[in-house]
């Protein structure tokens, strides 16, 4: 698959774009262009086209609108000290996208073609990449079923698109996230699609998120579907628990059982924490372990991680078993150290020992 360039002839004027990038936020403005490619069973992928960002025209019977056969990715491009731009671990996103495609009976896409399409869009719209540390261009590749018809079957047609939006550092260091631990609703069950970035997982989570808000909490924490006991994730982010403090601390995260989404930030933090000299552990943590760990002081810090917010401290937790607080509501030292190390690698101010940054071509 080649990406043919047919860029927007009327890009947003410089001053207007600069104002939009400076306004910050997340997902309010999109860059001048997008990439789109189409797949037909038996024929494979067409070439991709980079063209002006704009609405799609879909038949009302397009299968994704009825049966939700779709996947997406979230990744970022970061400004570098020399003025260049790098993508963070784009091959990992491409590989996860293909695992998701396989699970959702959608076609796979060559990893190099995926990365090339992303690279082409960021290169074309490079002026949309914010310059400050913590800011980035958030990139959303996605694929959906385009067969027209209400028959329930794997679609014989699909579309692959890439769009991008400037993202500010949405991190408020003085405010830890509060969480509602849901025992009524579950996000994912064994054999289901919890390990896939597919819209249906999100659609099914919104009511619990609403309940969390009614409980005065910012986010919902998901437990395993069977025992409703084992901590899995927080909203659309993975969770980390710091046990102990200082150099002898252990950085713990729930292991990937098949119902958790394997976050690339989660994976990067396992490596970064080891590089910083901490012990890391993947395992099972129950709600009782969380409560008693916080109360005994064994658990000293908790944070959530994902591409969008990178690292966010977690404070109070509320559940049917009561309410308990971690720390004083401020991010702990290890949370901040991990956040700053990862952001430093992403922005090229800390050595990228693992070859995670991929330069956008110029
Ligand atoms: C995307 C996502 C994450 C985080 O993955 P990253 O690759 O780190 O962005 C975690 N949980 C869920 C449910 C997600 O959809």
């Amino acid at each position: 698959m080649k990406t043919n360039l047919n860029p927007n002839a009327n890009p947003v004027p410089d001053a207007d774009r600069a104002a939009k990038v400076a306004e910050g936020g997340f997902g309010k403005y999109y860059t001048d262009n997008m990439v789109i490619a189409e797949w037909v069973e038996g024929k494979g992928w067409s070439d991709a086209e980079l063209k002006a960002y704009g609405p799609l025209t879909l038949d009302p019977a397009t299968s994704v609108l009825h049966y939700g056969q779709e996947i997406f990715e979230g990744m970022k491009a970061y400004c570098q000290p020399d003025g260049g731009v790098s993508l963070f671990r784009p091959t990992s996103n491409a590989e996860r996208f293909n695992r998701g495609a396989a699970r959702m009976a959608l076609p796979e896409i060559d990893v190099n073609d995926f990365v090339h399409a992303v690279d082409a869009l960021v290169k074309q719209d490079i002026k949309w990449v914010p310059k400050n540390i913590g800011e980035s261009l958030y990139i959303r590749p996605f694929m959906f079923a385009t067969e027209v018809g209400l028959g329930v079957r794997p679609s014989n047609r699909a579309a692959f698109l890439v769009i991008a939006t400037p993202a500010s550092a949405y991190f408020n260091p003085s405010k830890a996230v509060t969480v509602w631990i849901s025992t009524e609703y579950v996000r994912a069950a064994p054999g289901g699609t919890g390990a896939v970035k597919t819209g249906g997982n999100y659609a099914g989570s919104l009511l619990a998120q609403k309940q969390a808000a009614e409980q005065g909490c910012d986010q919902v924490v998901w437990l395993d579907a069977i025992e409703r006991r084992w901590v899995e994730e927080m909203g659309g982010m993975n969770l980390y628990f710091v046990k102990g403090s200082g150099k002898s601390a252990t950085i713990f995260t729930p292991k990937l059982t098949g119902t958790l989404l394997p976050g690339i930030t989660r994976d990067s933090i396992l490596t970064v924490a080891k590089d910083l000299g901490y012990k890391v552990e993947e395992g099972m943590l129950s709600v009782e372990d969380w409560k008693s760990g916080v109360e005994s002081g064994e658990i000293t810090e908790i944070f959530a991680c994902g591409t969008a917010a990178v690292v966010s401290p977690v404070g109070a937790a509320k559940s049917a078993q009561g309410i308990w607080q971690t720390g004083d509501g401020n991010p702990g030292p290890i949370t901040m150290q991990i956040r700053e190390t990862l952001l430093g690698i992403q922005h090229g101010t800390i050595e990228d020992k693992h070859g995670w940054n991929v330069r956008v071509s110029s």
Side-chain angles (χ1 to χ4, degrees):
M1 181 199 292
K2 289 203 306 285
T3 300
N4 299 317
L5 304 183
N6 177 23
N8 192 337
N10 297 300
V12 174
D14 283 348
D16 192 7
R17 185 198 59 245
K20 287 177 162 150
V21 171
E23 190 185 312
F26 179 75
K28 183 163 174 194
Y29 303 112
Y30 292 84
T31 65
D32 296 307
N33 293 282
M34 63 184 189
V35 172
I36 182 163
E38 284 170 277
W39 174 86
V40 177
E41 193 172 9
K43 283 171 61 184
W45 286 102
S46 68
D47 279 351
E49 184 185 13
L50 180 148
K51 62 178 193 179
Y53 182 94
L56 307 171
T57 302
L58 292 176
D59 188 289
T62 301
S63 77
V64 67
L65 301 175
H66 304 274
Y67 306 125
Q69 192 189 359
E70 76 91 42
I71 53 172
F72 65 93
E73 270 302 325
M75 54 199 287
K76 281 180 169 177
Y78 292 91
C79 207
Q80 302 298 300
D82 65 359
V85 170
S86 286
L87 302 171
F88 185 68
R89 303 188 66 180
T91 353
S92 300
N93 292 95
E95 287 163 359
R96 184 171 68 188
F97 196 65
N98 277 338
R99 289 195 300 274
R103 177 64 182 82
M104 301 306 287
L106 283 164
E108 293 183 27
I109 184 163
D110 182 88
V111 166
N112 292 322
D113 291 345
F114 177 104
V115 175
H116 185 68
V118 170
D119 176 83
L121 180 64
V122 177
K123 183 182 170 188
Q124 183 68 41
D125 289 338
I126 202 135
K127 290 179 178 164
W128 288 85
V129 181
K131 298 263 182 295
N132 300 321
I133 294 269
E135 299 177 348
S136 57
L137 185 69
Y138 180 88
I139 304 153
R140 169 56 58 89
F142 59 108
M143 191 198 294
F144 59 90
T146 53
E147 184 173 353
V148 174
L150 298 182
V152 180
R153 59 178 172 267
S155 178
N156 61 15
R157 287 175 174 266
F160 168 67
L161 285 90
V162 187
I163 58 174
T165 175
S168 61
Y170 75 81
F171 176 69
N172 180 353
S174 63
K175 195 186 173 300
V177 173
T178 59
V179 297
W180 167 247
I181 302 175
S182 182
T183 43
E184 186 175 355
Y185 299 112
V186 293
R187 190 188 82 89
T193 57
V196 179
K197 286 188 98 70
T198 185
N201 290 342
Y202 278 76
S205 76
L206 298 174
L207 186 58
Q209 178 59 42
K210 209 166 138 187
Q211 236 176 26
E214 282 158 15
Q215 293 289 339
C217 296
D218 302 307
Q219 288 285 340
V220 59
V221 161
W222 302 109
L223 303 178
D224 76 288
I226 298 187
E227 295 182 63
R228 310 275 168 107
R229 178 169 175 224
W230 305 104
V231 175
E232 296 200 330
E233 300 193 57
M234 180 193 92
M237 300 173 83
N238 296 110
L239 280 169
Y240 270 92
F241 296 79
V242 178
K243 298 179 178 177
S245 55
K247 279 280 156 239
S248 59
T250 295
I251 318 286
F252 174 94
T253 191
K255 74 172 179 194
L256 302 177
T257 56
T259 50
L260 283 75
L261 195 291
I264 292 160
T265 318
R266 173 190 181 279
D267 185 72
S268 305
I269 289 173
L270 284 174
T271 301
V272 163
K274 246 180 273 174
D275 289 349
L276 290 170
Y278 297 113
K279 287 190 286 293
V280 300
E281 195 187 321
E282 297 174 83
M284 305 288 278
L285 184 105
S286 68
V287 179
E288 308 88 84
D289 296 338
W290 181 344
K291 186 167 190 280
S292 66
V294 164
E295 283 165 358
S296 73
E298 190 206 357
I299 295 173
T300 51
E301 303 177 31
I302 304 175
F303 61 89
C305 66
T307 296
V310 187
V311 167
S312 292
V314 175
K318 199 171 169 186
S319 80
Q321 276 133 299
I323 178 164
W324 58 94
Q325 173 76 33
T326 309
D328 56 6
N330 293 309
I334 294 177
T335 301
M336 287 309 282
Q337 184 191 23
I338 287 175
R339 178 181 162 82
E340 265 144 37
T341 307
L342 189 54
L343 267 177
I345 295 169
Q346 290 166 332
H347 278 287
T349 59
I350 292 178
E351 190 196 348
D352 172 25
K353 283 189 267 184
H354 305 283
W356 286 339
N357 292 332
V358 175
R359 192 84 177 180
V360 171
S361 57
S362 51

